[in-house]
Amino acid sequence: MEKAKQLVVLITKGIDHELSSVALVIACGGITSGQGVSLFLTSSGVDLIRNRGTSMTEVRPLDPLAEMIADFQTRGGQIWACPPCVKSRGYEEADLIDGVEIVGARKLHGAILDGAETLSF
């Protein structure tokens, strides 16, 4: 069986949950292993990409979430945010960190149809 070249990590947990950090560790590991990796943030997961939101989360002994997200983006990781989840929190694009795309499920399903594997946290 051919290995997946793309991975989409769905994150539903926000700044109040350690699984958000675990998801980033796995996403960065995917990039290290040669996969193209995207994050799709829904529910409270969109709080992670709110300006200054990432500075509120650190799960020791892991790196601070802000550092992991910056590393992820620097190495080519894409971050997608669910439009209704962004809107329901009163956020706009200017409220989010640079590089985040507000995209609907069509982008996620397109990646899956193109062969991406998915993980959910």
Side-chain angles (χ1 to χ4, degrees):
M1 182 181 278
E2 187 177 314
K3 291 185 179 181
K5 302 266 190 271
Q6 297 292 319
L7 174 65
V8 179
V9 179
L10 290 89
I11 302 177
T12 62
K13 307 297 184 194
I15 58 176
D16 62 335
H17 204 286
E18 70 272 8
L19 281 178
S20 57
S21 293
V22 172
L24 257 295
V25 168
I26 290 172
C28 287
I31 290 175
T32 299
S33 73
Q35 292 179 304
V37 182
S38 302
L39 303 178
F40 189 77
L41 296 118
T42 66
S43 302
S44 61
V46 299
D47 295 330
L48 298 173
I49 50 157
R50 183 178 46 84
N51 289 322
R52 296 175 305 283
T54 58
S55 64
M56 297 179 185
T57 304
E58 181 176 359
V59 178
R60 295 181 191 267
L62 301 176
D63 292 335
L65 194 61
E67 290 177 20
M68 286 193 282
I69 288 176
D71 178 53
F72 177 79
Q73 288 182 300
T74 299
R75 296 195 293 144
Q78 299 178 7
I79 302 177
W80 304 330
C82 163
C85 302
V86 169
K87 187 175 181 178
S88 71
R89 285 163 174 73
Y91 301 160
E92 297 178 3
E93 190 172 342
D95 297 313
L96 306 178
I97 63 174
D98 290 338
V100 171
E101 289 182 76
I102 301 172
V103 298
R106 177 178 285 173
K107 185 100 171 187
L108 170 65
H109 289 291
I112 293 168
L113 288 171
D114 288 341
E117 297 289 335
T118 62
L119 293 172
S120 299
F121 292 89

